[in-house]
Amino acid sequence: MAEKMAIAKAINESLRRALETDPKVLVMGEDVGKLGGVFRVTDGLQKDFGEGRVIDTPLAESGIVGTAIGLALRGYRPVVEIQFDGFVFPAYDQIVTQLAKMHARALGKIKLPVVVRIPYGGGIGAVEHHSESPEALFAHVAGLKVVTPSNSSDAYWMMQQAIQSDDPVIFFEPKRRYWDKGEVDPEAIPGPLHAARVAREGTDLTLVAYGPMVKLCLEAADAAAEEGRSLEVVDLRSVSPLDFDTVQTSVEKTRRLVVVHEAPVFLGSGAEIAARITERCFYHLEAPVLRVGGYHAPYPPARLEEEYLPDLDRVLDAVDRSLAY
Amino acid sequence: MAEKMAIAKAINESLRRALETDPKVLVMGEDVGKLGGVFRVTDGLQKDFGEGRVIDTPLAESGIVGTAIGLALRGYRPVVEIQFDGFVFPAYDQIVTQLAKMHARALGKIKLPVVVRIPYGGGIGAVEHHSESPEALFAHVAGLKVVTPSNSSDAYWMMQQAIQSDDPVIFFEPKRRYWDKGEVDPEAIPGPLHAARVAREGTDLTLVAYGPMVKLCLEAADAAAEEGRSLEVVDLRSVSPLDFDTVQTSVEKTRRLVVVHEAPVFLGSGAEIAARITERCFYHLEAPVLRVGGYHAPYPPARLEEEYLPDLDRVLDAVDRSLAY
Amino acid sequence: MTVESTAARKPRRSAGSKAGNAGTTGTKAAGTTGTKRTTRSTRAAGKGADPQLVQLLTPEGKRVKNAEFDPYVAGVTPDELRGLYRDMVLTRRFDAEATALQRQGELGLWASLLGQEAAQIGSGRATREDDYVFPTYREHGVAWCRGVDPTNLLGMFRGVNNGGWDPNSNNFHLYTIVIGSQALHATGYAMGVAMDGADSAVLAYFGDGASSQGDVMEAFNFAAVYNAPVVFFCQNNQWAISESNEKQTRVPLYQRAEGFGFPGVRVDGNDVLASLAVTRWALERARRGEGPALIEAYTYRMGAHTTSDDPSRYRHDDERIAWEAKDPILRLRRHLEASNHTDEGFFTELETESEALGKRVREVVRAMPDPDRLALFEHAYADGHALVDEERAQFVAYQASFADTEAEGV
Amino acid sequence: MTVESTAARKPRRSAGSKAGNAGTTGTKAAGTTGTKRTTRSTRAAGKGADPQLVQLLTPEGKRVKNAEFDPYVAGVTPDELRGLYRDMVLTRRFDAEATALQRQGELGLWASLLGQEAAQIGSGRATREDDYVFPTYREHGVAWCRGVDPTNLLGMFRGVNNGGWDPNSNNFHLYTIVIGSQALHATGYAMGVAMDGADSAVLAYFGDGASSQGDVMEAFNFAAVYNAPVVFFCQNNQWAISESNEKQTRVPLYQRAEGFGFPGVRVDGNDVLASLAVTRWALERARRGEGPALIEAYTYRMGAHTTSDDPSRYRHDDERIAWEAKDPILRLRRHLEASNHTDEGFFTELETESEALGKRVREVVRAMPDPDRLALFEHAYADGHALVDEERAQFVAYQASFADTEAEGV
Ligand SMILES: Cc1ncc(C[n+]2csc(CCOP(=O)(O)OP(=O)(O)O)c2C)c(N)n1
Ligand SMILES: Cc1ncc(C[n+]2csc(CCOP(=O)(O)OP(=O)(O)O)c2C)c(N)n1
Ligand SMILES: [Mg+2]
Ligand SMILES: [Mg+2]
């Protein structure tokens, strides 16, 4: 029975279901209890599952992830919330040197089913550190999986799958889309967690995006359609592993590719997509892979973020440039 | 008066010169004092400049970088040592959210001339966390500069320039080459810190590398020469900013590019080079840019590292594959 | 007296309209018996789990004796007391104005200091001009004492910059949002002060929540090991967003200091006199080379965490009401009135000044221009960066491509 | 008794050849007066800067009384004492063998525990089978007590793996190289123990240097806030590579605990009996729900930091020589001999066992095969990863391309 709900609510429902069905699932983080998180994603969970399952932690991100690792070693499946993208870095050491590597270190004898939820990206007019897109910094690190939904249904199902995964998953939530609504069918049979999805079919050029940029790319495709151009939009859903096959199939058809993300272009995931798709589709590409993303500068103050973030014009400009080849 | 010295010694001499000429320069880190660092890079400096200038710190990397920032705010120019690549992550938050961003946050009113020295890379048969190449994780972050010398002369001069730079510089030292000797002329006039250098001229294909991989690429070029192939080798020297002009010039001539680094290929700096050079040289390239680097797996135990690290065969294999296009 | 914007390195706004430097007076008064007091205070602070709250003014405004800390405020004149009162009133007014401006959409966010005026003014007024202060994001009262033009604080909350003043003009660092980071910067700065042989001190602010961060605890340890002249000033306002103290710590926070080897004191953070005295004590021992100290100012966040927050979700009104009885401004007013230190003229004049401040803040904020688009690329680096140059050039060209359609940029 | 490789979840090697479970005995003896002792100990530990060293055996092997901790070893039989002696001797022998193997090129590195046997055996023998232990990289003696086959410890030092045992077989976690990280894992694990309603405890090891890391201090705080049944066991061996204690801390490390709200005790880490007693005390109070404790075992790293280190660069021989007089093994031997608990047969038999252990370690290490090349791609993920699959396939194809030139791999 599908129901329309916002992305934030879909994650909330997904966490609720996980807490209900698996007594080992825990929710941990700053202000996740009574407050329900600053975005209300954990709203009502502590009330219904108690302080033992939905745990307000001290204000210490390394401590949160480090103790979550210990809890996972004890057989729990912690879902950890980092309050904002810019606050994940105190936990970066635990994530990179412990969470990512312990399974391999133990030759498989240990599993760390920890989900790290990170509301990410800009466009909400916030102060510093509240608008960043650090996904490449996690995707570069072996041992982690990195996913990010773009809509309510994916938010719901990908969270279910992330929690069930025996690998640590960094779950990036597109915070500026938290209130966008979409259908969620809790009885559906979801596809694989790490498969990309063709969100819109097209023939002239492929737009690849994920998380908050998918909506923008769909809008760009609409706009382009009015000018008689048929754009295909691929929603990556997973940044590690990255579903190059789906992108390749699309590019072999359209012969042109533009990658869009909020993260800085330099060494962003678009770089990897460009490099690998160029290798895979060398004789198919009519134009170099173009990238639209953030600049190599600290995320700007709110009144400048519209200039910093990819928008319709910048995406269409890149589309034009690609088609001009 | 040029003198032959090992890379470790060249850095030592460069630090000595900086300590001598600028009373604001400090050297800080774990075991940098009496021990002279685990690689002896700071050997003798505390003896000659005292415990006030060459400072053994508590065992806390975040504390080291965080206090170095405070010292820089007070007008000092700290050169901080991180003992090994894998131990930089506790300091990652201070580096990414403070060191990288404070100058911009202060609209230029604050400068943070902090150098973070990191011995990096594998090939020394060490235990876990002692062989990593995390440069992409710093180069992706705006506000930082990332450099890495491949020889003694660069080690000496780039350290001088890094210390003089008013921007924070992450200085990656190719630890497995510490004992390689080369000429250092303390009276030379060095070129710009962030310019790449054509280390060997060639016509058939460009090899791009930096730090420890430059030597390997020069050897590969030797080997290829015996088979009648002329490889050009570009030593990047700087990963951020990255001197695309020099690479582009080379690739416009050779029309083929292979990038070699120890870091994992996925989202490594080779991805950015491939993406950008493909864009710049789209009509020149006869083959896709190929990359040789680490696998998407935690750095392996010592007895496997030769399989993990790029070696002569893997570089030549990529050269073959490129030339086969 | 009008509120002026602040010139760099000029003497700060004095605490009272005609008063001399209160800090200096206190320093002298206290200097004579410093070492002994230090010892006693250390012992007192470590006595046990019971909060040893240093209080000089009761909530009713009654001056109570405290052998240990009285000397630090022995020289405080009625004029200076009025100055402290004025500081608190104007700070609260500024804060209220900022909250209102946020509601009107002029600011994106505001973090109110409501209720914490005494802790901030008392500690801020204890600093000397050459001292250096590292704030969090809520130290509007301290900024005031340091002479930072309050309208400069609003830039980051409006979203026109990420920090709108020159930290070196008033030795007041930028607001730091990542919790706890600045404790290490303060410690490093203090290490530098000591290396320079200067007798300045450094004051690092943070919250009760921040005490849980590794960086804060590493700062405690570095400060202790290097005997750095840094005072850690923890405003325990009982809440870290929705989390109360017991979610952060098992014992009173001031007790943490001793385990690192320096004294910790809990002061009534709603008592401006006590906050002044204890901070002077700590700064002076730092100056004398006796190393760091931790002050826990026990106070209360009367309002929401920020304008985005809704405290009704996690705390009861009774709590706030109970704390209202301990209001820092009311308390000093009662004391001033009971001591006959004020007349109606003082309050009326202050009200006028307050109005003028409010008006100026409104006007300045509303007139605050958006930054130029190219500011995106400004100041990413001090020495320039090839990629930034390239991106800036592309950006300019891209913007120029709209020149036909648009008359001017956004 | 021969040294056997360890089966999962089997009772651990008992402390003495015929003894029962020493831990259980002690638990009973101490259980009766637990709460009171806790209080007293807390007080004693916080008394001041003077080390309150808990010692039950003097360096001369004389048993000294300690009202507080005697009950925890009241039930220790002569047989168990011999067991502790045997543990220490065999551990030292194993350690010496590993050092020799490193010199012979069989290991890439070795971190010797020489001098720290008593701290490790005493604390390790205090654990119950269901307890969980988080070591650093030097806890070879604790691993021994937990029943981990010592040869398994050598894999990472030889470079054939990064951790060569199943942590769940003996509730002994993998060695952790990044300093301090495991303190948080231990705390989280202990939080899980409490959630499960189990009465197990968790023991987290770290060094004096590690005490400076934010992670360790965050662990202290999490443990205190959640009242987690975790015991922090800090082996203060005086050195963190080349840095002595005063570079890390201004005050004795055990004192740090109180500032977080739990007791800290300094024990003579060269006294195996005292280490046993104090660790039992701490584990038992953790089991009883009284929360964490910090033990600082005051000991000495007799050798180099690792085989790569050259301590002559930073410390004098006199220091080591002074500590040799306090040798943990010698001390217990003196006590055993003075108490007539041993005869020559015991020592001869132990020497034979020691030889056998050395021989076995040599043989096993020399026969340790290099991992298969494809192990590169094993275990990067539990559920697989498309890129790893792709890279593995390319790797296999690439290797196959050499098939003509080479007979077999490597
Ligand atoms: C590292 C980090 N984590 C999380 C946050 C989000 N955050 C902002 S303020 C705050 C609570 C701070 O509480 P406290 O230290 O008591 O200061 P207060 O706001 O009460 O003045 C949190 C969790 C942050 N800014 N930085
Ligand atoms: C985060 C981190 N920084 C630095 C190192 C390098 N290192 C390895 S051991 C060591 C000293 C540890 O001293 P201590 O904690 O006293 O333990 P000990 O070696 O004396 O047993 C250092 C600095 C590391 N392993 N991890
Ligand atoms: Mg607070
Ligand atoms: Mg040590």
Side-chain angles (χ1 to χ4, degrees), chain A residues 96-149:
Chain A
V96 166
T97 66
Q98 302 302 329
L99 190 59
K101 296 187 171 67
M102 206 182 281
H103 175 74
R105 189 178 300 148
L107 300 173
K109 299 292 199 303
I110 281 172
K111 287 174 182 167
L112 290 182
V114 176
V115 178
V116 180
R117 296 179 41 234
I118 309 179
Y120 82 121
I124 62 160
V127 294
E128 208 188 346
H129 310 294
H130 290 70
S131 306
E132 298 171 12
S133 299
E135 63 273 13
L137 302 174
F138 296 89
H140 183 52
V141 178
L144 303 175
K145 289 174 172 172
V146 180
V147 302
T148 174

Side-chain angles (χ1 to χ4, degrees), chain A residues 101 140-143, chain B residues 121-123 131-134 176 213 216 260-266 291-311 314-315, chain D residues 162 372-378 380 388 391 395 398-399:
Chain A
K101 296 187 171 67
H140 183 52
V141 178
Chain B
S131 306
E132 298 171 14
S133 299
R176 71 152 121 167
M213 292 289 94
L216 176 68
V260 183
H261 53 57
E262 292 190 18
V265 166
F266 188 76
R291 296 175 287 164
V292 181
Y295 301 108
H296 192 69
Y299 196 91
R303 300 259 173 161
L304 275 177
E305 70 178 339
E306 286 191 13
E307 305 293 338
Y308 181 88
L309 291 168
D311 63 8
R314 280 176 65 199
V315 173
Chain D
N162 287 326
D372 184 83
R373 282 166 165 172
L374 287 180
L376 275 183
F377 306 96
E378 281 309 295
V388 177
E391 289 185 343
F395 182 84
Y398 169 72
Q399 293 295 342

Side-chain angles (χ1 to χ4, degrees), chain C residues 105-163:
Chain C
E106 295 290 343
L107 302 180
L109 184 81
W110 183 246
S112 165
L113 64 23
L114 190 67
Q116 302 177 216
E117 293 86 355
Q120 295 195 12
I121 299 297
S123 58
R125 283 296 174 207
T127 61
R128 232 166 52 182
E129 188 184 350
D130 59 315
D131 293 341
Y132 208 102
V133 172
F134 287 83
T136 72
Y137 41 80
R138 206 189 286 284
E139 272 65 74
H140 321 312
V142 187
W144 172 267
C145 296
R146 297 299 303 175
V148 178
D149 187 320
T151 61
N152 281 343
L153 304 177
L154 301 174
M156 63 174 268
F157 291 100
R158 184 173 169 89
V160 301
N161 58 47
N162 287 325

Side-chain angles (χ1 to χ4, degrees), chain B residues 26 28 63-76 78 102 110 112, chain C residues 9 129-134 146 167-173 181-198 200-204 222-223 228-230:
Chain B
L26 304 172
M28 301 168 63
I64 296 170
V65 173
T67 54
I69 290 172
L71 282 159
L73 291 172
R74 180 73 190 180
Y76 286 87
M102 206 181 279
I110 281 172
L112 290 182
Chain C
R9 288 292 175 196
E129 188 184 350
D130 59 315
D131 293 341
Y132 208 102
V133 172
F134 287 83
R146 297 299 303 175
N168 293 315
S169 291
N170 307 76
N171 282 7
F172 185 75
H173 193 69
S181 314
Q182 76 279 4
L184 282 168
H185 309 156
T187 302
Y189 193 97
M191 288 162 64
V193 168
M195 285 177 193
D196 292 345
S200 315
V202 178
L203 189 53
F222 272 68
V230 57

Side-chain angles (χ1 to χ4, degrees), chain B residues 62-63 74 76 94 144-145 167, chain C residues 196 215 218 381-384:
Chain B
S62 189
R74 180 73 190 180
Y76 286 87
Q94 283 286 350
L144 302 176
K145 289 174 173 173
D167 287 308
Chain C
D196 292 345
D215 271 11
E218 290 189 8
Y381 291 89
D383 290 347

